[in-house]
Structures are given as structure tokens and as C-alpha cells.
Amino acid sequence: MHRSFRHWVDRSLLAGMLGLFHLALLANFVSPIGRMLLMAHLGAFLLWQPLVANSRRLGALAFVLLLCAVGGFQLWLSWISLAAWSSLLAALIAARALPRGGLREHLAALLGFAYLVIVIVAWLVPRGLPTYDAALPLFSEFASIAGCVLIPLVWILDRSPRRQAEPDPVIVVVVLLALGVLVLTALASMFLNRVAYPWALLHAVVAVAGALALAGWLWYPRGGFSGFGLLLSRRIFASGMSLEEWLQYVATLARRATSGEQFMHEAAQRLLGVPNISGLTWEGGRPSFSGRSGDLSQAVVCFEHAGLRVTIGSAYPVDAPTLWRWDLMVLILAEFLRGREQAEELSEVGYLRAIHETGARLTHDVKNELQSLETLLWAVEQGYARDPEGARELLRRQLPALVGRIRMTLDCLRHPDEPDHDEHLAAGAWWQRLRHRQAGAKVEFWKFEGDLDPIVPAALLDRFVDNCILNATEKRAAQPSIQIEIRARCVDKTCCVEVRDTGTAIPSPITERLFRRPVQSNNGLGVGLLQVARQAEAASWKLGLSENRDGAVAFQIIGAAESAPSPT
């Protein structure tokens, strides 16, 4: 019950405040009853006013000032002072109504605003004129009837919550100026043109309405034109440089600058062009990231965003809008600086990744060459006793090729930023060299199928075969019965090399990462096939897993071979 009564009182505050004011006017506000009603009206206003919370306790000084204000209002009470008070009250009601949502929500406040405007122009201002007009009693009667009709409608339609957003001060000022211009224009037209007040008021309403309509059109003209509203929004918070210009400049500078220090130094030089900024200093997250530009004055303000601390000096004390503007500019600068530093970190990470990948690839190349060397030594050691001449011939053929591969690896190590210069051979020549190089390994070579003349990237195919044989050999250590096969074919200038083993299938979690990311390895870095896949992609070849099941695991590399040069 108490809550419902409180809600009813909150709903009735606006209508009650206006009703007490209207009764004071009807009872003649200079009479004792009228003054009592005005005091009750001021009390209702204190409960309704949106500036100070009702729960706030007034101090002694505030209470004394309030009593002085009420006493002065009663002492200098007149038609003109009531007109000024009504104008202020109308501005506050309009400021609380206009920022809200639909018409249904603020209809009651708009009706209260209309009532006060009618009272001002039809009752209070004419009563304060030094001249008498026969239409004045008609105006007063109209205002009296308007109050008796509109105030009950305000009470019926008021459904607004008790606590709302604070009134917009811009709307308060605009409404006060509009009412003041309306009244002064009517009075000026009345005395200068020597016309009756009703006609002067009509002329003033038409003139002010036309001026407001023109101002509204210039503020937002539509039709593709920006208007004064957009121009003001660009400049009002950025004297000398709009926020849009600052954002565009910082974005361009972030793309152009090669380091965070250069970015901050050039941005600081640009900030010195903003009015009232005489100098600034900055400090970043790193001890070495600091600097100074210009001279700091006595008025110093500090801003800190995203690890960047900027101290700005001004020759004059800084007001609140300027502080807000500078804070937003520093915030934009800090965000772009953080993006610049993150770009530098990503560049370093990319550089370290390139070093890691180059080292991993060279490690696998050296490992494969060591395996080839061990195979060659084993073949020579086993065959020297039976066929010394054949062993020497094997060394004569294989050692220069192995030396060439080691030289290519060393060249890649000396110049990691240069692309690999792959060796190209005829498919048949490469196949024959591969068979001789792997002669001592327990690998079965199938017969080469198709054309032997197309030119293939020999170094790429060697890396692929060496990596696959090395992986299969390591698998053979746990499964001794594994057989390793190598097949190759070239048909219609499309060559395919396949390395197959009869071991267990590769687990699914590993196949999902193969050729795309490093895989877990107990004997290396797990990036051998990844490096070969990237080199194959750069050479327009494709590396893949053609079969994966227990007893049949096959890797293949396939691509277009070049035509053999025609004999001259």
C-alpha cells in the first residue's frame, strides 16, 4: 500500500506543481493566499526538480542560500519575475521531455510545457505591460481555461518514471533563448509599429517560427549536404584540428612509420600545432621509450592509456572540454602506438620463425645427407672385398653428387633469404642416380613407368624421398618386418613419385597436421615433411598421403614436369 501511494505521489508531482502555480495566479499571487500557494508550488518544485536527488541532505550553507532565494523571490514578486520563473520552469520540463523516446512517453511533459508557454505569452507578459489592451481580459480567460484543461491531462497522461536522465543543458538554454526572443520580439513590434499586443504576438510567433525552421534546415539540410550540425560536431571538440583529421593523420603515420619511436616523435610534433599546447613528454612500457617535444608550461596535465603516459603543457589553465578532447586524442594515439608495437613484435616473430624453419630444413637436409653417406660407406665396406673396382666406381659416382648436395645446403645456410636454386634433371637420370644413391639401403625400387625425358626438380624429389625413407626406417626399428618401396612414373608430362611402406597406419591426430604444421617427433623437430610440402607448393608440385591403412602407408609427390630441350 505504501509503495502504491508513493508511486501515485511521484506521478502527481508535475501536475501538482503546475496546479498550485495556476491556483496562485487565479487567487492573485500578491494576496496572502496567492503567496501561500506559490510557496507550496516551490515546495512541489523541490520534490520534482531533476538537478539534485531528493535523498541528499542540505548543509547549513545550502539551506541558508535556499531561504535567501525564497525570500528574495517573495520580496521582488511581480508579473515579470513570474514570467522569468515560468520560462525557466518550461525550459526544465522541455529538457526532460525531449531527450526521451516516443511521443507517448513525453506527451504529459509537452502538455505542461505548452501550458507554461500559454501562461507566459497570454497572462504574465500582458499583465506586466504599462499599456492597457482591450484583448487582455480575453487572453487571461484563455490562459485560465487552458490551465483547467491541460493540467488534468498532465496528471492523467503522466506515466514517466520518478528518476529520469538529467536535463540536457543545451536544450534548457535553447528553450530559454527561444522564449526570450519570442517575448522581446512581440514587445518590440508592439511599441515600434504601434500595434496591439495580439497582432505583435502573432508577428513574433511567425518570425520566430520561421527563424527556427531556417536554423533547423541549415543544421541538417538533408539532400546530401552536411549542414552546420556536422561542421559543429567536427570542430566543437577540436580547436585547430578535428578528431577526424587527427584520426586520419595517426592512421597514415602508423602505416608510414618504421618504428614506435619514430611514430611517437612525429605525432608529438603534430600535437604541438594544436592551440594551447606548448610542449609534451611521453613514456612507454619500455624504459628506453620516452621523449620530449617543446617546453612544458606551468599548466600541466597527464593522460595515461594502454601503457602510454603523456604529459601535456599549456600556457593557460585548461578547461574541461579541452581536457576531454586531449584525453581522446591521446587515447587514439596510444591505441595506434600499441598496434605499431604489435606489428613490430609480429615482424620479429616472423623473422625468428624464418630462422627456425631454415635451420630445421637444413638440419633435415644434413641428416638425410648423413644417412646417404652412411649408406654409401656401408655399401662400399660390404662390396669392397668382393668387387674392389665396383666399390671404387660407386664412390666415384656418388661422392660428387653428395658433395654437391652438401654445398647446396651450405649455400642455403650462408644466404637464408635467397630462394633455393633447385637442380633439374631428366626424370630417367634422376631415377638412376637415386637408385645408385640408395643402393645400400633396404629399399625396393619398382620399374620406372612412362617417359624418362621430362625435366623434374631433382633436389625437391631427393628431399621428399630422403625424408620418407628416413621416417620409414625409424618405423622399421619398432617393426622389423616393414618393407619400403619406391615407385615413380611420368605420363603426359605429369610425374609422380611414391614412397610406400607396409607398417601400421599413421594416427588420425598426426594426419590432420601433416604438411600443414610441425608434428610430434621423438627423433627430430617434426618439420621435415612440412618443409618439403612448402617447397613443393612453391614449385607448383603437391605433396600428399595417397594411402593410409595398416599394411599400406604411401606418401606421394606429384606435379607437372618440363619438356626436355630439343637437340640442336
Side-chain angles (χ1 to χ4, degrees), residues 425-432 448 451-456 490 495 561:
L425 294 175
W430 169 79
W431 180 252
Q432 194 67 24
F448 192 94
D451 191 0
L452 298 174
D453 296 330
I455 306 300
V456 296
C490 278
C495 291

Coordinates of all heavy atoms in Angstrom, one line a residue, residues 425-432 448 451-456 490 495 561:
L425 N 66.9 -32.2 -63.5 CA 67.5 -33.3 -64.3 C 66.3 -34.0 -65.0 O 65.2 -33.8 -64.7 CB 68.2 -34.4 -63.4 CG 69.4 -33.9 -62.6 CD1 69.9 -35.1 -61.7 CD2 70.5 -33.5 -63.6
A426 N 66.7 -34.8 -66.0 CA 65.7 -35.6 -66.7 C 65.2 -36.7 -65.7 O 66.0 -37.1 -64.8 CB 66.4 -36.3 -67.9
A427 N 64.0 -37.1 -65.9 CA 63.4 -38.0 -64.9 C 64.2 -39.3 -64.9 O 64.4 -39.8 -63.8 CB 61.9 -38.2 -65.3
G428 N 64.6 -39.8 -66.0 CA 65.3 -41.1 -66.0 C 66.7 -40.9 -65.3 O 67.1 -41.8 -64.6
A429 N 67.4 -39.8 -65.6 CA 68.7 -39.6 -64.9 C 68.5 -39.5 -63.4 O 69.3 -40.0 -62.6 CB 69.4 -38.4 -65.5
W430 N 67.5 -38.7 -63.0 CA 67.3 -38.6 -61.6 C 67.0 -40.0 -61.0 O 67.5 -40.3 -59.9 CB 66.2 -37.6 -61.3 CG 65.7 -37.7 -59.9 CD1 66.3 -37.1 -58.8 CD2 64.6 -38.4 -59.3 NE1 65.7 -37.4 -57.7 CE2 64.6 -38.2 -57.9 CE3 63.6 -39.2 -59.9 CZ2 63.7 -38.8 -57.1 CZ3 62.7 -39.8 -59.0 CH2 62.7 -39.5 -57.7
W431 N 66.2 -40.8 -61.6 CA 65.8 -42.1 -61.1 C 67.0 -43.0 -61.0 O 67.2 -43.7 -60.0 CB 64.7 -42.7 -62.0 CG 64.2 -44.0 -61.6 CD1 64.5 -45.2 -62.2 CD2 63.4 -44.3 -60.4 NE1 63.9 -46.2 -61.5 CE2 63.2 -45.7 -60.4 CE3 62.8 -43.6 -59.5 CZ2 62.4 -46.4 -59.5 CZ3 62.0 -44.2 -58.5 CH2 61.8 -45.6 -58.5
Q432 N 67.8 -42.9 -62.0 CA 69.0 -43.8 -61.9 C 70.0 -43.3 -60.8 O 70.6 -44.2 -60.1 CB 69.8 -43.7 -63.3 CG 70.8 -44.8 -63.5 CD 70.2 -46.2 -63.6 OE1 69.0 -46.3 -63.9 NE2 71.0 -47.2 -63.3
F448 N 60.6 -47.9 -63.4 CA 60.0 -46.6 -63.7 C 59.0 -46.7 -64.9 O 59.3 -47.3 -65.9 CB 61.2 -45.6 -64.2 CG 60.8 -44.2 -64.3 CD1 61.0 -43.3 -63.2 CD2 60.2 -43.7 -65.4 CE1 60.7 -42.0 -63.3 CE2 59.9 -42.4 -65.6 CZ 60.1 -41.5 -64.5
D451 N 57.5 -42.0 -69.5 CA 58.6 -41.3 -70.2 C 59.7 -40.9 -69.3 O 59.5 -40.4 -68.2 CB 58.0 -40.0 -70.9 CG 58.9 -39.4 -71.9 OD1 60.0 -39.9 -72.1 OD2 58.6 -38.3 -72.5
L452 N 61.0 -41.1 -69.8 CA 62.1 -40.8 -69.0 C 62.7 -39.4 -69.3 O 63.7 -39.0 -68.6 CB 63.2 -41.9 -69.2 CG 62.9 -43.3 -68.8 CD1 64.0 -44.3 -69.2 CD2 62.6 -43.4 -67.3
D453 N 62.2 -38.7 -70.3 CA 62.8 -37.5 -70.7 C 62.4 -36.2 -70.0 O 63.1 -35.2 -70.0 CB 62.6 -37.3 -72.2 CG 63.3 -38.4 -73.0 OD1 64.3 -38.9 -72.6 OD2 62.8 -38.8 -74.1
P454 N 61.2 -36.1 -69.5 CA 60.8 -34.8 -68.9 C 61.7 -34.4 -67.8 O 62.3 -35.2 -67.0 CB 59.4 -35.1 -68.3 CG 58.9 -36.2 -69.2 CD 60.1 -37.1 -69.5
I455 N 61.9 -33.1 -67.6 CA 62.8 -32.5 -66.6 C 62.0 -32.3 -65.3 O 60.9 -31.8 -65.3 CB 63.3 -31.1 -67.1 CG1 64.0 -31.3 -68.5 CG2 64.3 -30.6 -66.1 CD1 65.1 -32.3 -68.5
V456 N 62.6 -32.8 -64.2 CA 62.0 -32.7 -62.9 C 62.9 -32.0 -61.9 O 64.1 -32.0 -62.1 CB 61.7 -34.2 -62.4 CG1 60.7 -34.8 -63.3 CG2 62.9 -35.0 -62.3
C490 N 56.0 -41.1 -65.1 CA 55.8 -39.8 -65.8 C 54.9 -40.2 -67.0 O 55.3 -40.9 -68.0 CB 57.1 -39.3 -66.3 SG 58.0 -38.3 -65.0
C495 N 54.4 -36.1 -63.5 CA 55.3 -37.0 -62.8 C 54.8 -37.2 -61.4 O 54.3 -36.3 -60.7 CB 56.7 -36.6 -62.8 SG 57.5 -36.6 -64.4
A561 N 56.0 -31.9 -65.1 CA 57.4 -31.8 -65.5 C 57.6 -30.9 -66.7 O 56.6 -30.7 -67.5 CB 57.9 -33.2 -65.7

